[in-house]
Amino acid sequence: MARSKREATRLYAFESGLTRRDFLVRSGALGLLLAAKPELSLAGDEGFSLTTRPKDFDVINRAVIESVQQHLFPDDGDGPSAKELNAYRYLLWAMEDPDNRADEDRQFILQGAAWLEDWADTQTGRSFLVLSWDEQEALLKAIAKSRAGENWLSLLLYYLIEALMLDPLYGGNPDEIGWRWLEHQPGFPRPVPGKSYLDF
């Protein structure tokens, strides 16, 4: 079946031939993502229920979030994966930031993980965690079509970019793996224990 003219002229990032690194560097995506955290909105979305309020990053929530992070930054040979960036560890650190708490990021991320797990059960009769990579990918593409799902994935991506770019002192970017991949020279002076962002 032939694509429409509009679809034929649209070039997606994954079809452009750019590597993930090139895309991030050339598009200015790093600056944009770090400059403006996504606004969270649940308006008009059924299923992302405010009554579902998981309290903590328990084993299930952790596994769901880490799995989604891997889909957002996979181990595909094009730069460090979410696991290599210590993205989950960095996320836990970021959730202690008073500004992020005031924005209710912690609750939104936890709520989204619970929602994704419920959605997987509704759609497949199985936990998101036991689905194949392709099945998980299909569910993530489906939830990205909703406002809340798109916001949730955008927020996780925002924190992944922070894990990639911030000083290793904050828990992500171990051994400066993200900096080396992007050929980034950090600013000076660098933070030291006791004089980091949260200490002020």
Side-chain angles (χ1 to χ4, degrees):
M1 186 164 120
R3 293 194 296 184
S4 72
K5 185 175 181 181
R6 183 177 177 182
E7 287 175 324
T9 59
R10 183 184 296 157
L11 188 63
Y12 294 95
F14 62 84
E15 296 173 328
S16 70
L18 290 176
T19 65
R20 186 175 4 143
R21 178 187 180 279
D22 288 339
F23 173 75
L24 289 171
V25 171
R26 291 183 190 175
S27 70
L30 291 172
L32 289 174
L33 285 168
L34 288 173
K37 184 164 45 173
E39 290 186 25
L40 307 184
S41 171
L42 306 177
D45 273 304
E46 295 180 14
F48 207 127
S49 169
L50 288 172
T51 61
T52 305
R53 300 189 74 83
K55 302 263 189 275
D56 208 350
F57 288 90
D58 61 20
V59 173
I60 300 296
N61 287 329
R62 175 182 180 159
V64 168
I65 291 166
E66 285 184 314
S67 180
V68 173
Q69 287 177 324
Q70 277 297 110
H71 280 271
L72 294 172
F73 259 67
D75 185 8
D76 60 2
D78 181 20
S81 68
K83 184 175 183 178
E84 292 168 322
L85 288 170
N86 279 348
Y88 184 78
R89 180 178 173 199
Y90 172 77
L91 179 67
L92 292 181
W93 178 88
M95 293 302 94
E96 297 305 314
D97 182 323
D99 290 335
N100 295 334
R101 283 185 173 268
D103 290 343
E104 298 189 357
D105 290 0
R106 177 187 180 92
Q107 191 57 44
F108 188 74
I109 288 171
L110 288 170
Q111 194 173 346
W115 179 57
L116 178 58
E117 184 66 3
D118 288 347
W119 180 251
D121 184 55
T122 300
Q123 297 300 306
T124 69
R126 293 177 290 157
S127 165
F128 181 78
L129 299 172
V130 301
L131 299 177
S132 70
W133 178 270
D134 290 341
E135 289 171 322
Q136 288 179 343
E137 191 77 11
L139 277 181
L140 292 173
K141 286 178 181 177
I143 71 160
K145 293 177 183 175
S146 74
R147 179 80 181 261
E150 181 182 23
N151 288 341
W152 185 69
L153 291 170
S154 294
L155 190 62
L156 286 176
L157 182 59
Y158 172 84
Y159 285 114
L160 267 165
I161 297 295
E162 284 196 345
L164 173 73
M165 290 301 299
L166 292 183
D167 196 282
L169 176 72
Y170 299 112
N173 190 21
D175 300 320
E176 304 174 7
I177 187 172
W179 292 346
R180 287 187 280 112
W181 176 57
L182 291 171
E183 299 175 5
H184 170 72
Q185 176 63 49
F188 291 97
R190 289 181 47 191
V192 294
K195 293 187 177 179
S196 67
Y197 168 71
L198 286 184
D199 296 314
F200 293 101

